[in-house]
Amino acid sequence: MERFSISMEEDLLGKFDNHLSGHGYSNRSEAVRDLVRKALIDEEWQSGEEVVGVITLVFDHHQRKLQDKLTELQHDHYEIIISSTHVHLDHHNCLEVIIVKGEAGSVCELANRLKATRGVKTSELTSASTGKKL
Ligand code: NI
């Protein structure tokens, strides 16, 4: 492993250290490594290359025809969906995780369309990476 030193304003370093303790890092090096990895993954997602990710939805089970709409949207994008799992959280809420792989623009389009559907309470797209650039 290579070592290098970083110069940083005291104020910014203080905020960085707060960020570290808030996220459970035991040292600055691992936090910097994760920030670099995150930047490289972001770059991969903006380059139009093939990406992998997970879309997590929580939605209202009682909203009329919502499940049908969400299924229809997924059929419109079947070529980028690897797998999906539905969990009945309680009487009112459903959780669905959708594992996606494909061109970044298509993945984001699917995630945005799902998020914009009425009755979807939360929707997150988690960007993963095969690690080619890491
Ligand atoms: Ni359900």
Side-chain angles (χ1 to χ4, degrees):
M1 201 175 284
E2 301 274 338
R3 293 179 70 91
F4 69 103
S5 58
I6 300 173
S7 306
M8 197 181 286
E9 294 89 348
E10 201 179 329
D11 185 39
L12 188 58
L13 185 58
K15 287 174 182 164
F16 184 54
D17 284 340
N18 282 339
H19 168 84
L20 302 195
S21 55
H23 288 82
Y25 287 104
S26 54
N27 67 70
R28 289 172 178 160
S29 291
E30 186 52 32
V32 170
R33 285 194 286 272
D34 274 355
L35 288 174
V36 172
R37 289 186 193 109
K38 168 93 171 54
L40 293 172
I41 291 173
D42 285 351
E43 197 173 77
E44 197 172 300
W45 276 73
Q46 280 158 21
S47 67
E49 286 177 38
E50 185 175 79
V51 295
V52 287
V54 181
I55 301 169
T56 307
L57 302 171
V58 174
F59 58 92
D60 184 349
H61 167 67
H62 298 297
Q63 175 95 27
R64 210 171 149 266
K65 294 194 172 170
L66 177 55
Q67 177 74 67
D68 288 349
K69 282 181 200 160
L70 297 176
T71 302
E72 201 171 309
L73 279 172
Q74 292 182 58
H75 276 274
D76 285 348
H77 295 80
Y78 72 90
E79 26 6 280
I80 58 168
I81 296 176
I82 294 175
S83 176
S84 68
T85 298
H86 183 109
V87 178
H88 312 302
L89 284 181
D90 54 37
H91 281 293
H92 309 287
N93 297 290
C94 298
L95 169 90
E96 207 155 296
V97 287
I98 305 161
I99 302 172
V100 287
K101 182 181 182 185
E103 192 266 314
S106 306
V107 168
C108 292
E109 189 199 321
L110 172 61
N112 289 337
R113 289 181 71 186
L114 290 167
K115 191 174 196 164
T117 306
R118 193 172 165 213
V120 173
K121 293 180 178 181
T122 63
S123 172
E124 305 278 342
L125 170 60
T126 308
S127 44
S129 177
T130 52
K132 275 181 290 185
K133 291 190 170 185
L134 304 184

